Amino acid sequence: MMTDAFVAETESTRLVRRTTTWFILLFWFAQVTMLTILRHLNLGEEEKLAFLLPRLCVTLIGVGISFVIADRLRRLAGRSMRVKIGTAALLALIGCLIHGGANIALFRLLVEGSYSETFDAGMFLGALLQWFWAYAALCALLLAITSSLELADRERRIAHLQRVAHTAQLRALRYQLNPHFMFNTLNSIASLISRRDAETAELMVENLADFLRAGLSLDPQEDIPLAREIELQSLYLAIETLRFPDRLKVEIDMSPDTAGALVPGLITQPLVENVVRHAVALSVEPVRLHIVARRAGNRLHISVHNSAAKGGTASASKGTGVGLANVTDRLRAQFDTDCAISSGRDEDGGFLVMIDIPFSTAG
């Protein structure tokens, strides 16, 4: 299967070839038409017909020379403009010499009496000068076309690389799964097994498998409905509730009009995980985790709030940077400046994180 980059390169090459082909044909059509009209006004009827065949033959030779010039100019892609201009001037000179020589040879061969002994070197140089300017104009226009298409192709390549880098960045940020969660969960399972609490251990393993399967299957480039995001967090919180049955109290308040709102997959995961790790795990009393989602016009507001950790509040305040940085980086990567995230402690010692992103749905 061809990659996107290869397809883009092929389309770009075809575009250059099509553009230069049509330009060359139109250039020489205009050239032969204009020359024929001028000759029509100055020559007799018989001479007009006699000159038409060699003029068409010379025009075909000019078309062939022009395609060679266009091919040589295309091969200069990536070179400096000085090299391109110098090469174009040289090609114009070579082209006019070949064209001028073919013009004399064909007219002498096909038109009796043309370019007779009265034709001297001065007349030949004058004709060459005319053809040089024609080829110089042709080369300049071809150079402008190829340079313009080359610039457009470079911009497409840069855009493609930016998309690749953006995807890699989102993927890396999305897959920063906190190893402490895995270690603590596995340790809890082992502890349950050692206490012969097989039913709870089995339930925790099932919840962990469901969470990992659902989370890792998400495409980091695609957004998911907020209802799905909350469902994934519910799987995670089900695991943590088994670990801290008396200390973790979860409340989810999602207004119905926000269920279909699109959000980056697992965007709230680091925030919820922070609550468990830096509040619930350090508290000796129950900690309330409250997730709220509201729509305000064309904006979506999501907040993650936890009550104060009793007995471990001071320690908890030291461990909130990584998760917030992850969420902030992901939001900036996707929405640029069209988003906001704020965080801080409330007057009761709890911690609140608020996210503001554009409201959009799949429909």
Side-chain angles (χ1 to χ4, degrees), residues 156-189:
R156 282 193 295 271
R157 290 173 181 270
I158 292 174
H160 173 72
L161 292 175
Q162 287 176 338
R163 287 195 299 271
V164 171
H166 183 254
T167 301
Q169 180 186 16
L170 289 178
R171 192 181 300 275
L173 291 171
R174 234 281 312 281
Y175 291 160
Q176 281 182 355
L177 188 64
N178 195 328
H180 290 279
F181 158 65
M182 292 295 297
F183 295 151
N184 291 335
T185 301
L186 294 175
N187 286 333
S188 296
I189 294 172

mmCIF file of all heavy atoms in Angstrom, residues 156-189:
data_model
loop_
_atom_site.group_PDB
_atom_site.id
_atom_site.type_symbol
_atom_site.label_atom_id
_atom_site.label_comp_id
_atom_site.label_asym_id
_atom_site.label_seq_id
_atom_site.Cartn_x
_atom_site.Cartn_y
_atom_site.Cartn_z
ATOM 1 N N ARG A 156 3.375 21.436 1.181
ATOM 2 C CA ARG A 156 2.594 20.222 1.450
ATOM 3 C C ARG A 156 3.419 19.226 2.271
ATOM 4 O O ARG A 156 2.885 18.575 3.179
ATOM 5 C CB ARG A 156 2.147 19.582 0.136
ATOM 6 C CG ARG A 156 0.960 20.251 -0.520
ATOM 7 C CD ARG A 156 0.392 19.387 -1.627
ATOM 8 N NE ARG A 156 1.333 19.226 -2.727
ATOM 9 C CZ ARG A 156 1.417 20.038 -3.757
ATOM 10 N NH1 ARG A 156 0.611 21.077 -3.837
ATOM 11 N NH2 ARG A 156 2.287 19.809 -4.721
ATOM 12 N N ARG A 157 4.700 19.116 1.945
ATOM 13 C CA ARG A 157 5.554 18.192 2.702
ATOM 14 C C ARG A 157 5.678 18.641 4.151
ATOM 15 O O ARG A 157 5.627 17.818 5.079
ATOM 16 C CB ARG A 157 6.945 18.114 2.064
ATOM 17 C CG ARG A 157 6.978 17.397 0.726
ATOM 18 C CD ARG A 157 8.366 17.525 0.095
ATOM 19 N NE ARG A 157 8.431 16.865 -1.191
ATOM 20 C CZ ARG A 157 8.769 15.603 -1.368
ATOM 21 N NH1 ARG A 157 9.073 14.863 -0.321
ATOM 22 N NH2 ARG A 157 8.820 15.068 -2.565
ATOM 23 N N ILE A 158 5.867 19.953 4.350
ATOM 24 C CA ILE A 158 5.975 20.478 5.710
ATOM 25 C C ILE A 158 4.687 20.222 6.480
ATOM 26 O O ILE A 158 4.707 19.815 7.648
ATOM 27 C CB ILE A 158 6.300 21.982 5.672
ATOM 28 C CG1 ILE A 158 7.721 22.200 5.129
ATOM 29 C CG2 ILE A 158 6.169 22.607 7.054
ATOM 30 C CD1 ILE A 158 8.080 23.652 4.918
ATOM 31 N N ALA A 159 3.549 20.456 5.808
ATOM 32 C CA ALA A 159 2.258 20.211 6.453
ATOM 33 C C ALA A 159 2.109 18.731 6.823
ATOM 34 O O ALA A 159 1.595 18.390 7.899
ATOM 35 C CB ALA A 159 1.118 20.649 5.542
ATOM 36 N N HIS A 160 2.565 17.845 5.915
ATOM 37 C CA HIS A 160 2.489 16.406 6.188
ATOM 38 C C HIS A 160 3.364 16.036 7.391
ATOM 39 O O HIS A 160 2.932 15.283 8.282
ATOM 40 C CB HIS A 160 2.931 15.618 4.964
ATOM 41 C CG HIS A 160 3.053 14.141 5.193
ATOM 42 N ND1 HIS A 160 1.961 13.315 5.347
ATOM 43 C CD2 HIS A 160 4.147 13.336 5.324
ATOM 44 C CE1 HIS A 160 2.367 12.080 5.555
ATOM 45 N NE2 HIS A 160 3.683 12.066 5.550
ATOM 46 N N LEU A 161 4.592 16.579 7.428
ATOM 47 C CA LEU A 161 5.486 16.285 8.546
ATOM 48 C C LEU A 161 4.930 16.838 9.851
ATOM 49 O O LEU A 161 5.081 16.216 10.914
ATOM 50 C CB LEU A 161 6.870 16.871 8.269
ATOM 51 C CG LEU A 161 7.656 16.217 7.125
ATOM 52 C CD1 LEU A 161 8.959 16.959 6.875
ATOM 53 C CD2 LEU A 161 7.936 14.747 7.427
ATOM 54 N N GLN A 162 4.288 18.008 9.770
ATOM 55 C CA GLN A 162 3.684 18.570 10.970
ATOM 56 C C GLN A 162 2.551 17.690 11.473
ATOM 57 O O GLN A 162 2.390 17.505 12.683
ATOM 58 C CB GLN A 162 3.177 19.983 10.683
ATOM 59 C CG GLN A 162 4.288 21.016 10.539
ATOM 60 C CD GLN A 162 3.764 22.382 10.153
ATOM 61 O OE1 GLN A 162 2.660 22.506 9.608
ATOM 62 N NE2 GLN A 162 4.533 23.416 10.417
ATOM 63 N N ARG A 163 1.766 17.141 10.530
ATOM 64 C CA ARG A 163 0.685 16.235 10.944
ATOM 65 C C ARG A 163 1.253 14.974 11.589
ATOM 66 O O ARG A 163 0.715 14.481 12.578
ATOM 67 C CB ARG A 163 -0.188 15.872 9.743
ATOM 68 C CG ARG A 163 -1.096 16.992 9.269
ATOM 69 C CD ARG A 163 -2.164 16.468 8.335
ATOM 70 N NE ARG A 163 -1.599 15.861 7.138
ATOM 71 C CZ ARG A 163 -1.321 16.513 6.032
ATOM 72 N NH1 ARG A 163 -1.540 17.817 5.958
ATOM 73 N NH2 ARG A 163 -0.813 15.891 4.973
ATOM 74 N N VAL A 164 2.337 14.451 11.005
ATOM 75 C CA VAL A 164 2.965 13.246 11.573
ATOM 76 C C VAL A 164 3.495 13.535 12.976
ATOM 77 O O VAL A 164 3.295 12.753 13.910
ATOM 78 C CB VAL A 164 4.098 12.757 10.649
ATOM 79 C CG1 VAL A 164 4.886 11.643 11.327
ATOM 80 C CG2 VAL A 164 3.527 12.253 9.328
ATOM 81 N N ALA A 165 4.182 14.683 13.108
ATOM 82 C CA ALA A 165 4.725 15.052 14.410
ATOM 83 C C ALA A 165 3.608 15.290 15.423
ATOM 84 O O ALA A 165 3.714 14.920 16.595
ATOM 85 C CB ALA A 165 5.595 16.299 14.277
ATOM 86 N N HIS A 166 2.526 15.916 14.945
ATOM 87 C CA HIS A 166 1.390 16.186 15.824
ATOM 88 C C HIS A 166 0.767 14.888 16.310
ATOM 89 O O HIS A 166 0.441 14.735 17.493
ATOM 90 C CB HIS A 166 0.364 17.030 15.064
ATOM 91 C CG HIS A 166 -0.812 17.438 15.891
ATOM 92 N ND1 HIS A 166 -2.056 16.856 15.743
ATOM 93 C CD2 HIS A 166 -0.938 18.342 16.884
ATOM 94 C CE1 HIS A 166 -2.890 17.408 16.599
ATOM 95 N NE2 HIS A 166 -2.246 18.309 17.305
ATOM 96 N N THR A 167 0.619 13.921 15.386
ATOM 97 C CA THR A 167 0.070 12.614 15.755
ATOM 98 C C THR A 167 0.967 11.916 16.768
ATOM 99 O O THR A 167 0.489 11.339 17.757
ATOM 100 C CB THR A 167 -0.099 11.734 14.512
ATOM 101 O OG1 THR A 167 -0.972 12.390 13.579
ATOM 102 C CG2 THR A 167 -0.680 10.376 14.880
ATOM 103 N N ALA A 168 2.280 11.960 16.518
ATOM 104 C CA ALA A 168 3.233 11.319 17.430
ATOM 105 C C ALA A 168 3.186 11.970 18.809
ATOM 106 O O ALA A 168 3.261 11.283 19.835
ATOM 107 C CB ALA A 168 4.639 11.400 16.851
ATOM 108 N N GLN A 169 3.060 13.309 18.821
ATOM 109 C CA GLN A 169 2.988 14.012 20.089
ATOM 110 C C GLN A 169 1.738 13.609 20.860
ATOM 111 O O GLN A 169 1.795 13.325 22.063
ATOM 112 C CB GLN A 169 3.000 15.517 19.856
ATOM 113 C CG GLN A 169 2.936 16.337 21.152
ATOM 114 C CD GLN A 169 2.796 17.821 20.884
ATOM 115 O OE1 GLN A 169 2.450 18.223 19.779
ATOM 116 N NE2 GLN A 169 3.064 18.630 21.888
ATOM 117 N N LEU A 170 0.591 13.590 20.168
ATOM 118 C CA LEU A 170 -0.654 13.197 20.835
ATOM 119 C C LEU A 170 -0.578 11.765 21.328
ATOM 120 O O LEU A 170 -1.043 11.438 22.427
ATOM 121 C CB LEU A 170 -1.837 13.362 19.874
ATOM 122 C CG LEU A 170 -2.246 14.796 19.528
ATOM 123 C CD1 LEU A 170 -3.394 14.768 18.531
ATOM 124 C CD2 LEU A 170 -2.652 15.550 20.780
ATOM 125 N N ARG A 171 0.010 10.890 20.498
ATOM 126 C CA ARG A 171 0.116 9.479 20.893
ATOM 127 C C ARG A 171 0.996 9.329 22.129
ATOM 128 O O ARG A 171 0.665 8.592 23.062
ATOM 129 C CB ARG A 171 0.680 8.663 19.733
ATOM 130 C CG ARG A 171 0.560 7.156 19.930
ATOM 131 C CD ARG A 171 1.168 6.422 18.738
ATOM 132 N NE ARG A 171 0.502 6.776 17.515
ATOM 133 C CZ ARG A 171 -0.613 6.190 17.087
ATOM 134 N NH1 ARG A 171 -1.163 5.218 17.781
ATOM 135 N NH2 ARG A 171 -1.163 6.570 15.956
ATOM 136 N N ALA A 172 2.124 10.038 22.135
ATOM 137 C CA ALA A 172 3.031 9.941 23.276
ATOM 138 C C ALA A 172 2.380 10.467 24.550
ATOM 139 O O ALA A 172 2.487 9.865 25.622
ATOM 140 C CB ALA A 172 4.316 10.716 22.983
ATOM 141 N N LEU A 173 1.679 11.605 24.422
ATOM 142 C CA LEU A 173 1.014 12.163 25.591
ATOM 143 C C LEU A 173 -0.120 11.271 26.073
ATOM 144 O O LEU A 173 -0.328 11.095 27.281
ATOM 145 C CB LEU A 173 0.484 13.563 25.256
ATOM 146 C CG LEU A 173 1.541 14.647 25.033
ATOM 147 C CD1 LEU A 173 0.898 15.910 24.491
ATOM 148 C CD2 LEU A 173 2.296 14.943 26.324
ATOM 149 N N ARG A 174 -0.872 10.712 25.107
ATOM 150 C CA ARG A 174 -2.021 9.880 25.468
ATOM 151 C C ARG A 174 -1.591 8.595 26.171
ATOM 152 O O ARG A 174 -2.284 8.069 27.046
ATOM 153 C CB ARG A 174 -2.786 9.524 24.198
ATOM 154 C CG ARG A 174 -4.264 9.873 24.216
ATOM 155 C CD ARG A 174 -5.104 8.873 24.979
ATOM 156 N NE ARG A 174 -4.830 7.517 24.616
ATOM 157 C CZ ARG A 174 -5.298 6.926 23.530
ATOM 158 N NH1 ARG A 174 -6.062 7.585 22.697
ATOM 159 N NH2 ARG A 174 -4.996 5.661 23.269
ATOM 160 N N TYR A 175 -0.416 8.085 25.789
ATOM 161 C CA TYR A 175 0.023 6.807 26.333
ATOM 162 C C TYR A 175 0.951 6.951 27.535
ATOM 163 O O TYR A 175 1.665 6.021 27.876
ATOM 164 C CB TYR A 175 0.705 5.981 25.246
ATOM 165 C CG TYR A 175 -0.258 5.496 24.183
ATOM 166 C CD1 TYR A 175 0.203 5.106 22.927
ATOM 167 C CD2 TYR A 175 -1.619 5.436 24.429
ATOM 168 C CE1 TYR A 175 -0.694 4.671 21.941
ATOM 169 C CE2 TYR A 175 -2.506 5.009 23.454
ATOM 170 C CZ TYR A 175 -2.029 4.620 22.225
ATOM 171 O OH TYR A 175 -2.908 4.192 21.259
ATOM 172 N N GLN A 176 0.971 8.131 28.159
ATOM 173 C CA GLN A 176 1.750 8.295 29.373
ATOM 174 C C GLN A 176 0.951 7.728 30.553
ATOM 175 O O GLN A 176 0.510 8.447 31.440
ATOM 176 C CB GLN A 176 2.072 9.771 29.609
ATOM 177 C CG GLN A 176 3.215 10.286 28.766
ATOM 178 C CD GLN A 176 3.515 11.744 29.087
ATOM 179 O OE1 GLN A 176 2.817 12.374 29.869
ATOM 180 N NE2 GLN A 176 4.548 12.271 28.487
ATOM 181 N N LEU A 177 0.740 6.448 30.525
ATOM 182 C CA LEU A 177 -0.026 5.800 31.590
ATOM 183 C C LEU A 177 0.857 5.698 32.832
ATOM 184 O O LEU A 177 1.965 5.179 32.782
ATOM 185 C CB LEU A 177 -0.458 4.403 31.137
ATOM 186 C CG LEU A 177 -1.420 3.660 32.044
ATOM 187 C CD1 LEU A 177 -2.747 4.410 32.113
ATOM 188 C CD2 LEU A 177 -1.633 2.246 31.558
ATOM 189 N N ASN A 178 0.370 6.214 33.932
ATOM 190 C CA ASN A 178 1.155 6.257 35.154
ATOM 191 C C ASN A 178 1.479 4.844 35.640
ATOM 192 O O ASN A 178 0.574 4.061 35.934
ATOM 193 C CB ASN A 178 0.351 6.998 36.240
ATOM 194 C CG ASN A 178 1.218 7.399 37.394
ATOM 195 O OD1 ASN A 178 2.177 6.718 37.733
ATOM 196 N ND2 ASN A 178 0.876 8.519 38.014
ATOM 197 N N PRO A 179 2.761 4.494 35.714
ATOM 198 C CA PRO A 179 3.109 3.131 36.160
ATOM 199 C C PRO A 179 2.681 2.855 37.588
ATOM 200 O O PRO A 179 2.468 1.701 37.963
ATOM 201 C CB PRO A 179 4.641 3.098 36.014
ATOM 202 C CG PRO A 179 5.066 4.529 36.040
ATOM 203 C CD PRO A 179 3.956 5.291 35.389
ATOM 204 N N HIS A 180 2.544 3.909 38.403
ATOM 205 C CA HIS A 180 2.113 3.684 39.779
ATOM 206 C C HIS A 180 0.723 3.060 39.827
ATOM 207 O O HIS A 180 0.428 2.227 40.690
ATOM 208 C CB HIS A 180 2.111 5.018 40.548
ATOM 209 C CG HIS A 180 3.476 5.567 40.803
ATOM 210 N ND1 HIS A 180 4.274 5.130 41.835
ATOM 211 C CD2 HIS A 180 4.187 6.506 40.135
ATOM 212 C CE1 HIS A 180 5.412 5.787 41.807
ATOM 213 N NE2 HIS A 180 5.399 6.629 40.791
ATOM 214 N N PHE A 181 -0.118 3.464 38.893
ATOM 215 C CA PHE A 181 -1.468 2.890 38.838
ATOM 216 C C PHE A 181 -1.386 1.385 38.593
ATOM 217 O O PHE A 181 -2.060 0.597 39.253
ATOM 218 C CB PHE A 181 -2.269 3.591 37.740
ATOM 219 C CG PHE A 181 -3.436 2.798 37.229
ATOM 220 C CD1 PHE A 181 -4.507 2.491 38.054
ATOM 221 C CD2 PHE A 181 -3.460 2.349 35.918
ATOM 222 C CE1 PHE A 181 -5.577 1.753 37.582
ATOM 223 C CE2 PHE A 181 -4.524 1.613 35.441
ATOM 224 C CZ PHE A 181 -5.586 1.310 36.274
ATOM 225 N N MET A 182 -0.550 0.986 37.620
ATOM 226 C CA MET A 182 -0.416 -0.431 37.311
ATOM 227 C C MET A 182 0.179 -1.204 38.485
ATOM 228 O O MET A 182 -0.323 -2.270 38.881
ATOM 229 C CB MET A 182 0.462 -0.604 36.075
ATOM 230 C CG MET A 182 -0.162 -0.109 34.782
ATOM 231 S SD MET A 182 -1.630 -1.064 34.328
ATOM 232 C CE MET A 182 -0.903 -2.675 34.082
ATOM 233 N N PHE A 183 1.246 -0.660 39.064
ATOM 234 C CA PHE A 183 1.892 -1.351 40.173
ATOM 235 C C PHE A 183 0.943 -1.488 41.365
ATOM 236 O O PHE A 183 0.843 -2.566 41.976
ATOM 237 C CB PHE A 183 3.155 -0.583 40.610
ATOM 238 C CG PHE A 183 4.233 -0.547 39.567
ATOM 239 C CD1 PHE A 183 5.129 0.516 39.509
ATOM 240 C CD2 PHE A 183 4.355 -1.556 38.625
ATOM 241 C CE1 PHE A 183 6.126 0.554 38.548
ATOM 242 C CE2 PHE A 183 5.344 -1.524 37.647
ATOM 243 C CZ PHE A 183 6.230 -0.463 37.620
ATOM 244 N N ASN A 184 0.277 -0.397 41.695
ATOM 245 C CA ASN A 184 -0.631 -0.434 42.845
ATOM 246 C C ASN A 184 -1.792 -1.393 42.619
ATOM 247 O O ASN A 184 -2.219 -2.105 43.530
ATOM 248 C CB ASN A 184 -1.158 0.968 43.135
ATOM 249 C CG ASN A 184 -0.079 1.890 43.656
ATOM 250 O OD1 ASN A 184 0.904 1.435 44.235
ATOM 251 N ND2 ASN A 184 -0.268 3.189 43.451
ATOM 252 N N THR A 185 -2.316 -1.398 41.382
ATOM 253 C CA THR A 185 -3.431 -2.295 41.074
ATOM 254 C C THR A 185 -2.999 -3.756 41.167
ATOM 255 O O THR A 185 -3.696 -4.599 41.750
ATOM 256 C CB THR A 185 -3.974 -2.001 39.671
ATOM 257 O OG1 THR A 185 -4.404 -0.646 39.602
ATOM 258 C CG2 THR A 185 -5.154 -2.911 39.350
ATOM 259 N N LEU A 186 -1.831 -4.060 40.585
ATOM 260 C CA LEU A 186 -1.333 -5.439 40.646
ATOM 261 C C LEU A 186 -1.028 -5.851 42.081
ATOM 262 O O LEU A 186 -1.285 -7.006 42.483
ATOM 263 C CB LEU A 186 -0.097 -5.583 39.763
ATOM 264 C CG LEU A 186 -0.337 -5.422 38.262
ATOM 265 C CD1 LEU A 186 0.979 -5.469 37.479
ATOM 266 C CD2 LEU A 186 -1.285 -6.501 37.739
ATOM 267 N N ASN A 187 -0.465 -4.927 42.855
ATOM 268 C CA ASN A 187 -0.201 -5.235 44.261
ATOM 269 C C ASN A 187 -1.498 -5.480 45.022
ATOM 270 O O ASN A 187 -1.574 -6.361 45.894
ATOM 271 C CB ASN A 187 0.574 -4.098 44.922
ATOM 272 C CG ASN A 187 2.024 -4.069 44.484
ATOM 273 O OD1 ASN A 187 2.587 -5.100 44.107
ATOM 274 N ND2 ASN A 187 2.632 -2.892 44.529
ATOM 275 N N SER A 188 -2.526 -4.682 44.685
ATOM 276 C CA SER A 188 -3.820 -4.878 45.348
ATOM 277 C C SER A 188 -4.413 -6.233 44.987
ATOM 278 O O SER A 188 -4.989 -6.929 45.839
ATOM 279 C CB SER A 188 -4.787 -3.757 44.944
ATOM 280 O OG SER A 188 -4.324 -2.499 45.389
ATOM 281 N N ILE A 189 -4.277 -6.618 43.724
ATOM 282 C CA ILE A 189 -4.771 -7.932 43.294
ATOM 283 C C ILE A 189 -4.033 -9.039 44.038
ATOM 284 O O ILE A 189 -4.643 -10.018 44.509
ATOM 285 C CB ILE A 189 -4.619 -8.080 41.772
ATOM 286 C CG1 ILE A 189 -5.546 -7.093 41.053
ATOM 287 C CG2 ILE A 189 -4.920 -9.508 41.335
ATOM 288 C CD1 ILE A 189 -5.336 -7.036 39.548
#
